[in-house]
Amino acid sequence: MDWLCVPRFDGDPLFGRLVGGPDAGTFRVGPAGPATVVERRYRQHTATLETTWAVGGGRLRLTEAMVAEVSGRLLPTTLIVRRLSAEQAAVDAVVEFDPRLGARHRRPRVHHRRQALVCEWGALAVALNSTPAFRIEPGRPSSITVRPGRPVTLVLAVAHREPVIHVEPAAAWDLLVEDEARWRAWTAEIDERLPFREHVARSLLTLRLLTYSPSGAPVAAPTTSLPEDPGGGRNWDYRYVWPRDASIGVSAFLSVGKTDEARGFLAWLLHASRLQRPRLPALLTLYGRHAPAERELPGWPGYLDSRPVRVGNGAAGQHQLDGYGWVIDAAWAFAQAGHRLYGETWRAVRGFADVVAGCWQQPDAGIWEVREPAQHVHSKLMGWLALDRALAIADTHHLPEGQRRRWQNARAAIAAEVRTRGFDPTAASYVRSYGSQDLDAALLVLPLLGMDQAESQRVRGTIDAIRDGLSAGGALLYRYPPGRDGLPGAEGAFLPCSFWLVQGLARTGRRREAIELFQAMVDHASPLGLYAEELNPATGAHLGNYPQTLTHAALIQAALAIRDAPTGDGSA
């Protein structure tokens, strides 16, 4: 375990070796000598991970999970259970527990209390228990022998500004088993007839695991500075909430009947945006505060020598018009599912729509967060969507007539300008920005919006132009022409774009092509069924922070588009 932040996704790393090097801490459990991994998987429809090694004449299995449901009981908010078990023969194993907190890899004050090892850093403490009990010293590997029928269970409890709660390993294992049953019941509610159901279920489960339960906020990814360009400087902190990414996930949850998750996010957004409303920030912390200023961690070597390692995110102050469209679209989907918006929620949506009506002509940073603002066509389209969906919600919610007319006029003006200034007749495609000939894979959402008819030549031409002009080989796409973002270094294919292409094909009557493309994308998943944001087209290696909310949300919506597409195929 080389990455764990406490007490939240965006907290200080307790184990940070992933990007901080050997001095940043780890919690290693596994074979003591040479071994071969023969299987690594999640238990079906759960968040429990199993790793099995072949060691000599035996096998060693590590089963581990973080217990997700601890409310209503006297349990630590963070409870990690790890169990080693042997098959066929006894196996020598090692446990290395070396917690180092934060940017300076602070060592803890250490206490032994009964069978527990307790490590403290002021208001933060962690307690490690084991059965059978054996001596563990931070930073010193402990050797043990695991015998068939006699597993070794380790339990790590985290306490922040609260008493340390010790959980007996046997009781912790029972909690893990209960947690598995809850996940299986949660997953069983997903429609059995859904195309690619197993992949959708894993993605939904991943989105739920990326949600910080106390606030209902989903992070973009649980990591920072995993490189988009290994060895380079395209390393960003994604441990915050992008309302755009989260809203796409909300729509995915709603589409499979998971309304509690959608309601939780909208409640969080209402709370989180209150201080900056009607402006919608590009990103927020898990509690709705300003994301910290972007800074670099000196001395951190980075993953694969990719420096700098960053915390905080400089995009927090950007104007991103497209975010309003995604958020209001999620609210509309919630209303479409038969749930009336609370009065305060509707007032927030009205405020967002007013901002769009007033500022849509301004340049913005766009979905790709470029440093130089431009008149991004995708942003304009999403501004159109924000007003269109707000007007649709207004059909069942109170709206003054003057406000309605203002939104209608702005919506019409956006459509007229985009059709005139954002379309390149020579390429038969919408383009990245006014006056540019560059393509933009974000425009693949065009057939989902309704501004142009999905079967129109403009929509089909845009899809075909992007598929050809931004191809990274096979099912993979670049998000824009490589090298056109003003940053040094290269980047890989952008995985959400391929799933947006699946949606576009399905929505434009090319269901067979959509299914073939989805299947090809399934083959690009990690062995655990997870996706980063980008992929190296040459090697198949995942790039950037991992796993990625946006990719998994796009996968779910792609499968739903295939489900809803006509069975007749108009494929070329």
Side-chain angles (χ1 to χ4, degrees):
M1 185 178 294
D2 285 338
W3 186 252
L4 176 68
C5 294
V6 290
R8 301 178 300 275
F9 288 110
D10 58 356
D12 286 334
L14 184 69
F15 309 124
R17 185 176 291 188
L18 183 68
V19 292
D23 293 336
T26 188
F27 183 13
R28 182 167 62 98
V29 179
T36 302
V37 175
V38 293
E39 185 179 36
R40 197 156 195 258
R41 68 181 184 105
Y42 282 112
R43 288 184 177 178
Q44 189 176 32
H45 299 163
T46 78
T48 302
L49 182 64
E50 282 188 348
T51 306
T52 304
W53 295 270
V55 187
R59 291 200 172 196
L60 183 68
R61 175 172 294 127
L62 173 62
T63 305
E64 54 190 331
M66 182 182 292
V67 177
E69 181 54 68
V70 297
S71 62
R73 290 178 286 183
L74 185 60
L75 291 171
T77 303
T78 301
L79 183 66
I80 297 170
V81 186
R82 313 185 82 185
R83 171 172 280 189
L84 283 171
S85 55
E87 298 176 358
Q88 302 170 9
V91 178
D92 291 332
V94 66
V95 174
E96 181 183 358
F97 182 70
D98 188 17
R100 307 281 194 92
L101 186 66
R104 292 182 292 170
H105 316 317
R106 292 164 51 204
R107 296 178 184 271
R109 293 174 54 198
V110 179
H111 310 275
H112 289 276
R113 298 177 182 172
R114 296 183 181 177
Q115 295 183 358
L117 166 67
V118 179
C119 299
E120 297 182 32
W121 301 262
L124 176 75
V126 298
L128 181 64
N129 283 27
S130 66
T131 297
F134 59 95
R135 186 80 174 182
I136 299 176
E137 294 290 347
R140 298 180 183 175
S142 300
S143 298
I144 56 175
T145 300
V146 185
R147 305 183 186 282
R150 299 176 62 184
V152 175
T153 305
L154 297 146
V155 180
L156 180 66
V158 179
H160 183 250
R161 301 186 185 278
E162 61 189 4
V164 175
I165 300 172
H166 296 280
V167 182
E168 291 296 323
W173 182 258
D174 289 342
L175 290 168
L176 183 149
V177 173
E178 290 176 19
D179 217 43
E180 288 186 325
R182 274 190 294 270
W183 283 123
R184 290 192 176 104
W186 188 86
T187 307
E189 297 171 350
I190 302 169
D191 189 350
E192 292 283 352
R193 298 164 296 177
L194 189 64
F196 301 98
R197 183 182 184 275
E198 289 303 303
H199 303 285
V200 171
R202 177 50 57 190
S203 288
L204 283 165
L205 206 156
T206 300
L207 292 184
R208 185 65 187 84
L209 290 170
L210 289 170
T211 301
Y212 182 59
S213 292
S215 69
V219 292
T223 56
T224 180
S225 300
L226 292 183
E228 296 170 6
D229 180 23
R234 292 174 177 256
N235 316 313
W236 317 109
D237 190 354
Y238 276 14
R239 299 172 300 150
Y240 307 107
V241 186
W242 271 255
R244 170 204 309 119
D245 300 16
S247 296
I248 298 171
V250 163
S251 297
F253 279 126
L254 281 170
S255 297
V256 295
K258 297 291 185 183
T259 57
D260 287 346
E261 286 73 15
R263 185 180 289 108
F265 168 72
L266 290 174
W268 172 84
L269 184 65
L270 184 67
H271 166 80
S273 64
R274 71 197 187 287
L275 297 179
Q276 300 181 62
R277 205 180 301 159
R279 177 181 172 271
L280 179 67
L283 65 144
L284 293 157
T285 69
L286 295 165
Y287 280 116
R289 300 188 178 97
H290 289 283
E294 188 172 288
R295 62 188 178 92
E296 299 175 4
L297 298 182
W300 283 52
Y303 184 79
L304 297 177
D305 295 321
S306 305
R307 290 184 291 273
V309 173
R310 294 183 171 95
V311 294
N313 197 293
Q318 289 183 345
H319 169 48
Q320 298 178 15
L321 183 65
D322 73 288
Y324 295 88
W326 294 113
V327 167
I328 297 179
D329 185 60
W332 171 77
F334 189 74
Q336 284 286 101
H339 309 286
R340 187 175 179 84
L341 300 181
Y342 293 122
E344 181 64 18
T345 306
W346 175 226
R347 280 191 290 275
V349 169
R350 284 168 53 185
F352 295 152
D354 279 339
V355 169
V356 173
C359 78
W360 69 267
Q361 293 173 306
Q362 299 174 11
D364 79 325
I367 187 173
W368 307 130
E369 300 180 346
V370 297
R371 301 302 168 103
E372 290 295 327
Q375 300 285 5
H376 292 105
V377 174
H378 173 262
S379 296
K380 308 300 184 190
L381 290 172
M382 297 308 294
W384 181 93
L385 181 71
L387 295 169
D388 183 75
R389 298 303 191 255
L391 285 163
I393 298 171
D395 289 340
T396 54
H397 293 67
H398 173 70
L399 182 69
E401 192 57 35
Q403 200 171 21
R404 185 189 303 272
R405 285 196 299 271
R406 190 161 60 250
W407 293 358
Q408 289 172 334
N409 291 339
R411 179 181 61 176
I414 294 173
E417 183 174 285
V418 167
R419 290 185 180 121
T420 302
R421 301 182 63 190
F423 187 79
D424 181 356
T426 303
S429 172
Y430 285 100
V431 291
R432 186 178 179 185
S433 60
Y434 294 168
S436 168
Q437 293 182 322
D438 285 352
L439 298 170
D440 182 355
L443 296 171
L444 289 167
V445 302
L446 186 62
L448 316 178
L449 308 185
M451 191 188 83
D452 286 342
Q453 294 297 315
E455 63 272 13
S456 73
Q457 287 301 312
R458 285 188 169 218
V459 171
R460 291 179 68 95
T462 300
I463 291 174
D464 291 340
I466 291 171
R467 191 177 190 181
D468 293 339
L470 294 180
S471 174
L476 301 175
L477 294 173
Y478 294 109
R479 50 181 167 172
Y480 42 67
R484 300 287 185 90
D485 58 11
L487 296 173
E491 67 170 17
F494 204 78
L495 295 174
C497 297
S498 293
F499 289 114
W500 291 340
L501 177 57
V502 172
Q503 283 184 274
L505 292 171
R507 288 294 185 95
T508 55
R510 300 155 78 175
R511 187 173 188 270
R512 177 176 56 78
E513 290 180 66
I515 291 171
E516 292 172 355
L517 184 64
F518 195 109
Q519 183 59 62
M521 288 304 297
V522 164
D523 295 339
H524 286 300
S526 78
L528 295 177
L530 303 178
Y531 294 86
E533 192 172 56
E534 298 184 16
L535 193 93
N536 184 320
T539 66
H542 286 254
L543 304 172
N545 289 302
Y546 172 92
Q548 185 75 24
T549 293
L550 182 59
T551 309
H552 284 278
L555 179 153
I556 297 162
Q557 293 197 313
L560 293 166
I562 291 172
R563 178 196 67 185
D564 298 337
T567 53
D569 200 336
S571 299

